[in-house]
Amino acid sequence: MFVESYRKELWFEASRRRELINITSHIDQCLKESNIKEGLILINAMHITASVFINDDESGLHSDFEKWLEKLAPEKPYSQYRHNGFEDNADAHLKRTIMGREVVVAVTGGKLDLGPWEQVFYGEFDGMRKKRVLVKIIGE
Amino acid sequence: MFVESYRKELWFEASRRRELINITSHIDQCLKESNIKEGLILINAMHITASVFINDDESGLHSDFEKWLEKLAPEKPYSQYRHNGFEDNADAHLKRTIMGREVVVAVTGGKLDLGPWEQVFYGEFDGMRKKRVLVKIIGE
Amino acid sequence: MFVESYRKELWFEASRRRELINITSHIDQCLKESNIKEGLILINAMHITASVFINDDESGLHSDFEKWLEKLAPEKPYSQYRHNGFEDNADAHLKRTIMGREVVVAVTGGKLDLGPWEQVFYGEFDGMRKKRVLVKIIGE
């Protein structure tokens, strides 16, 4: 078959500064629309204070992530970061670095080829405004 | 050429809770089986307490990784993590987040296009049971 | 269209041990040379003490990255790392693990499909010698 491609932007608006949103069903929907059966799907945050990552949809773990990221890259005091002259989101750049910008997932038989507990998340670290995730699929 | 794809699951069973296993020769073998000459290969852990990453095959460095990950995301006390109600592996989710879920490697002339010291590892952080790595190749 | 591929090595020599170099224009140039319009581009460090990552081109943030990486994985004392028998760069392996080996970016309409502030960086953590970044594009 010839190579085919698909592109979509998904918009999310977190109601808090930090939030983890399960976007797996949105990605499933994109894959259906694409009609691509075999290939690779790239899902990336288009903003540099947000993340797309894969892990478990378990609220205890999400609370552990919040506490852990605050330990490794604390939000406050804002003055500890040189980036925070006009901004207050330096910690969000660091937190997203830990969590990662993107995931690449295999597409097999027209489905996301995920392990049993793998779920795709949008990780917001500087929220309360609309931000985008890019979905790009190539294959056949 | 038309686009072609290849998929294989590789199974590993670490004999300890944490272990770094060099899987480069297994990936080479997949690439040979695929007969794909130019493209991209995705190698990802299918489990959310394990990692696939690229680094040096040097035992001193591996021991440094162990000590460092234990500093950044300690296994014990188990009670420090809310995920650890029925489980004891919250630290493994965090350690794998640092090490990464996946790598994407170029395929050039039918070979893994790796730098001089790049080796592909399966990083197990909650072992002593069989777990899977997914290999997906697309190209021509 | 048929699947097409492109490969190039880019060489960089940081004048200091650690340096973040904006390589976005080099990647743009590779994409133009490739003549690929829709697909995926992989950009990875070929060395295991360096990183390719995406973030903001803001000097305050870059100084925050330096301070933060030194906190999470300090260079000295060298003797704290077992890897540092013949080498002194164990910290560089750890820093690059935090920052990531590679990025995958969508190619859309012949352009890098980046968000408004996304810039591609080469992150050097053991510099003062020539090292390589691999650019591989597949698509049509």
Side-chain angles (χ1 to χ4, degrees):
Chain A
M1 296 284 286
F2 296 113
V3 61
E4 307 213 17
S5 69
Y6 169 93
R7 178 194 191 273
K8 190 160 198 175
E9 292 179 7
L10 303 173
W11 289 84
F12 299 97
E13 182 168 7
S15 57
R16 291 170 290 148
R17 183 176 172 109
R18 288 191 288 277
E19 197 168 336
L20 306 184
I21 302 170
N22 189 331
I23 63 173
T24 315
S25 63
H26 295 88
I27 309 303
D28 276 333
Q29 185 57 37
C30 289
L31 188 50
K32 269 185 205 139
E33 286 175 23
S34 76
N35 211 30
I36 291 172
K37 302 302 182 197
E38 297 291 327
L40 295 176
I41 178 164
L42 167 72
I43 312 145
N44 70 267
M46 298 186 76
H47 301 259
I48 52 196
T49 51
S51 170
V52 171
F53 68 96
I54 285 179
N55 218 304
D56 196 357
D57 197 353
E58 197 279 303
S59 63
L61 181 66
H62 292 192
S63 137
D64 294 331
F65 271 126
E66 163 64 20
K67 188 178 158 194
W68 182 63
L69 291 170
E70 266 294 279
K71 189 182 74 173
L72 295 185
E75 177 186 339
K76 297 174 186 174
Y78 294 129
S79 61
Q80 75 190 293
Y81 301 112
R82 283 191 46 198
H83 182 61
N84 285 345
F86 298 93
E87 311 249 19
D88 69 0
N89 65 4
D91 71 297
H93 290 269
L94 305 183
K95 287 179 170 97
R96 109 75 177 256
T97 299
I98 296 275
M99 298 305 288
R101 167 190 180 260
E102 80 216 12
V103 294
V104 177
V105 177
V107 174
T108 303
K111 292 191 189 305
L112 290 175
D113 200 339
L114 293 171
W117 298 99
E118 287 195 304
Q119 294 284 299
V120 185
F121 287 90
Y122 175 67
E124 176 62 83
F125 305 108
D126 184 29
M128 295 178 284
R129 58 198 173 92
K130 295 182 77 174
K131 289 159 80 174
R132 283 174 289 164
V133 166
L134 180 62
V135 179
K136 184 90 183 189
I137 315 174
I138 69 164
E140 53 95 357
Chain B
M1 297 284 286
F2 296 113
V3 62
E4 307 212 18
S5 67
Y6 170 94
R7 177 194 193 273
K8 189 160 196 175
E9 293 180 5
L10 303 174
W11 289 85
F12 298 97
E13 182 168 6
S15 57
R16 289 171 290 148
R17 182 175 172 110
R18 289 190 287 278
E19 196 168 338
L20 306 183
I21 301 171
N22 189 331
I23 63 172
T24 314
S25 63
H26 294 88
I27 309 304
D28 277 331
Q29 184 57 37
C30 290
L31 188 48
K32 268 185 207 140
E33 284 175 23
S34 77
N35 212 28
I36 291 173
K37 302 301 183 197
E38 296 293 326
L40 295 176
I41 178 165
L42 167 71
I43 312 145
N44 69 266
M46 298 187 75
H47 300 260
I48 53 196
T49 51
S51 170
V52 171
F53 69 95
I54 285 179
N55 217 303
D56 196 356
D57 197 352
E58 198 279 305
S59 64
L61 181 66
H62 293 192
S63 138
D64 294 331
F65 270 126
E66 163 66 19
K67 188 177 158 193
W68 182 63
L69 291 170
E70 266 294 280
K71 189 182 73 176
L72 294 184
E75 178 185 339
K76 299 175 182 172
Y78 294 129
S79 61
Q80 75 190 294
Y81 301 112
R82 284 191 45 199
H83 182 60
N84 286 343
F86 299 93
E87 311 249 19
D88 69 0
N89 64 4
D91 71 298
H93 291 268
L94 305 184
K95 287 179 170 98
R96 109 72 177 258
T97 299
I98 296 275
M99 297 306 287
R101 166 188 180 264
E102 81 216 11
V103 295
V104 177
V105 176
V107 174
T108 303
K111 292 191 189 305
L112 290 175
D113 200 339
L114 293 170
W117 299 99
E118 288 196 303
Q119 294 285 299
V120 184
F121 287 90
Y122 175 66
E124 175 63 81
F125 304 109
D126 183 29
M128 295 178 285
R129 57 199 175 93
K130 294 183 80 174
K131 289 160 79 175
R132 281 174 292 165
V133 165
L134 180 62
V135 179
K136 184 89 182 190
I137 315 174
I138 68 163
E140 53 95 359
Chain C
M1 298 283 286
F2 297 112
V3 61
E4 308 213 16
S5 68
Y6 169 94
R7 177 194 193 272
K8 189 160 197 175
E9 293 180 6
L10 302 174
W11 289 84
F12 298 98
E13 182 168 5
S15 58
R16 290 170 290 147
R17 182 174 172 110
R18 289 190 288 277
E19 196 168 336
L20 307 183
I21 302 171
N22 189 331
I23 63 172
T24 314
S25 62
H26 294 88
I27 310 302
D28 277 332
Q29 185 58 35
C30 290
L31 189 49
K32 267 185 207 141
E33 285 175 24
S34 76
N35 211 29
I36 290 172
K37 301 303 182 196
E38 297 292 327
L40 295 176
I41 178 166
L42 166 71
I43 311 145
N44 70 266
M46 298 187 75
H47 301 260
I48 52 196
T49 51
S51 169
V52 171
F53 68 96
I54 284 180
N55 217 303
D56 197 357
D57 197 352
E58 198 278 304
S59 63
L61 181 67
H62 293 192
S63 137
D64 294 332
F65 271 125
E66 162 66 20
K67 189 178 156 192
W68 182 63
L69 291 170
E70 267 293 281
K71 188 182 74 174
L72 294 184
E75 178 186 338
K76 299 175 184 173
Y78 294 128
S79 60
Q80 75 190 292
Y81 301 112
R82 284 191 45 199
H83 182 60
N84 286 345
F86 300 93
E87 311 248 20
D88 69 0
N89 66 3
D91 71 297
H93 290 268
L94 305 183
K95 287 178 170 98
R96 108 75 176 256
T97 299
I98 296 275
M99 298 304 287
R101 167 189 180 261
E102 79 215 14
V103 295
V104 177
V105 177
V107 174
T108 302
K111 291 190 189 306
L112 290 175
D113 200 340
L114 293 171
W117 299 99
E118 287 195 305
Q119 295 284 300
V120 184
F121 287 90
Y122 175 66
E124 175 63 80
F125 304 108
D126 184 30
M128 295 178 286
R129 57 198 174 94
K130 294 183 80 174
K131 288 160 80 176
R132 282 173 291 165
V133 165
L134 179 63
V135 179
K136 184 88 182 191
I137 315 174
I138 69 163
E140 54 95 357

